[in-house]
Amino acid sequence: MSLNQLGLLQQLSRALMQPLIALPAAALAVAIGHMLQGTGMHDAAALFELTGKTIFYVLPYLFAAGVALGLSNNAGVAAMSSMLGMFIFKQLLTHWHAAFEPTILNGILFGVLAGMIHERFKNVQFPEYLQFFGGPRFAVLLTTLSSIFLSWVMIVLAPFMHQGVSFLGQEILAMGGFGIFIYGVLHRVLVAFGLHHLLNNVYWFQVGSFTDAEGMTFTGDLPRFFAGDPTAGVYMAGLYPIMMFALPAVALAIVHESREDLRPKVRKTYFTAAFVSLLTGITEPIEFAFLFAAPYLFIVHALLSGAAMWLTAELGIRHGFSFSAGAIDYVVNFHQSTKALWIIPIGVAFGLIYYVIFRFAIQKFQIPTPGRVEVSLLDDMASDLLHRVPLIIQALGGKDNIVDTQACITRLRLRVQNDKLVDRHALRMMGAAGVIRLGGGHLQVVFGTYSELIKEEMVKRLQRDPKQVWFVAPVQGRMIPIEEVPDTIFAKKLVGKGVAFYPDRGELVSPVRGFIRHVYPTMHALGIETPEGLEVLLHIGIETSSLNGAGFQAVVQEGDEVKPGQLLIKFDFNEVKKRCKSLATPMVITNSDKVASWSMAPYAPVKKGQTSVMSVVLHEHALGGVHR
């Protein structure tokens, strides 16, 4: 499969997540109904249980609207078109006395149809006298007409489709525990690519059928479980030991193998991640801690996950969830489970196995998990996360490179013009646990449970289009707060606000686009003016003016136009370091009054000309261009 095809599958996988938002409400309604039934409040119990079952019953319509929204960047017109298609399909079924109800597969197909037509024709233009029918109206019209044809095709093919799904379900069930093991392995592998929803859709919403006492028909392991099918839950129960116990044990192993000096930060981050996994079943922050550092460990993890699912199936354990296999779903849905108490000792056993394997592997193979090397942890920047969104945008190649911005619970799902412009190192320094390129401009950035917040802030900033100036690192080395520069004038921001760096190479490059306005005679410093009128001072080392230019060589002159990453000054690193007070190199904006807001990257190692280190938004009244 090509990377471009993976990207398209990511888009569909993302779209399939939209309708799942309604499932926790349905599960909670069923659970409340069960509790009320136990207290003798039968009428109220029936009301809640019917509410929950109704949500599962109308899932085909929710999938139609949700998939259309996901494929059209949340366009309400596309969702409306998909619902029109489903209603047409339902009426045609009634008219031709078809012996089946709309299924989730039908809903997905109508959602794909509406989403694709909307994206293709939403901007179509006709001559002025026909333009009323142009744009989104034409997309709705075309979807409506296409729905008639799609409905006819599905009604003709329905018997064959039904036989195919039934055969698939029977073959999978006939494989017994081994089939469930294969599902468990594939599920974890596809999590790494964000494509597991494609697999889940087959097992959770297509395989198996159940009709309750009221005559309502439910298909798939998940709806059947909540409808009261005692045989359902086989494809969900085995995930509980992994999410509630095994992956929290991995987080504990990572903490115990971290360096003593970094352990407090790692403990805070990964104990939180362990609690989130235990409580809600969100596991990506832990899994991505070793996915890229040791892919073979992820394969071990996938195999063990399959083994857990096989074991629970063989023991006759049945349990389900509406969101994920965490403690909340375990407790809320316990009343409908079978032998669910066995999940606790099984989970403890798998937790011990995971802990021993991961501690041994980290020690034996010196795996660079968080805390063994100095990296940015997301918790370090949680307090000012939204202020760093401009730097995330820059690391994604800038506003013009971002085509589409979506998010699921744990990751940004993006489409960019050119994924070669994406700076993975900078994104990891911003706290991303992992960055995955799927081809065709499709990209995933794992920010854990902060992903939705980041996405919302990104959308706001991209729409608002403030006047921003982005800065990259002017040296190779380490970024530090300006207050740590061993010079009062810079540390107290008397020259201007900004950041500083400790270089480890003798090269200074331009952090921004602009013009060279001043090169000091001693060549230890220079000034750049940006097209927006910002005046940037770069000063190599402290008390280096006393060297009278010895060891420095400027490769630009006043009036030159420069771009980010362009070499400005070469200097003899060892000689300058030996003769100056400090190599701390400030980068400050001397007319800081023009700046309305500042965004700073984490103070960490940087790559010259590549790492995004600072972003500023200018006051409206301060905008001014550079004149040569």
Side-chain angles (χ1 to χ4, degrees), residues 176 289 494:
L494 300 179

mmCIF file of all heavy atoms in Angstrom, residues 176 289 494:
data_model
loop_
_atom_site.group_PDB
_atom_site.id
_atom_site.type_symbol
_atom_site.label_atom_id
_atom_site.label_comp_id
_atom_site.label_asym_id
_atom_site.label_seq_id
_atom_site.Cartn_x
_atom_site.Cartn_y
_atom_site.Cartn_z
ATOM 1 N N GLY A 176 -12.186 -19.054 16.278
ATOM 2 C CA GLY A 176 -12.091 -19.132 17.731
ATOM 3 C C GLY A 176 -11.119 -18.123 18.310
ATOM 4 O O GLY A 176 -11.006 -16.987 17.848
ATOM 5 N N ALA A 289 5.864 6.633 23.675
ATOM 6 C CA ALA A 289 7.126 6.809 24.395
ATOM 7 C C ALA A 289 8.158 5.770 23.970
ATOM 8 O O ALA A 289 9.361 5.988 24.096
ATOM 9 C CB ALA A 289 6.891 6.715 25.906
ATOM 10 N N LEU A 494 17.323 45.458 29.204
ATOM 11 C CA LEU A 494 17.495 46.883 28.950
ATOM 12 C C LEU A 494 17.683 47.156 27.462
ATOM 13 O O LEU A 494 17.351 48.242 26.971
ATOM 14 C CB LEU A 494 18.699 47.412 29.741
ATOM 15 C CG LEU A 494 18.612 47.250 31.272
ATOM 16 C CD1 LEU A 494 19.876 47.777 31.937
ATOM 17 C CD2 LEU A 494 17.380 47.969 31.813
#
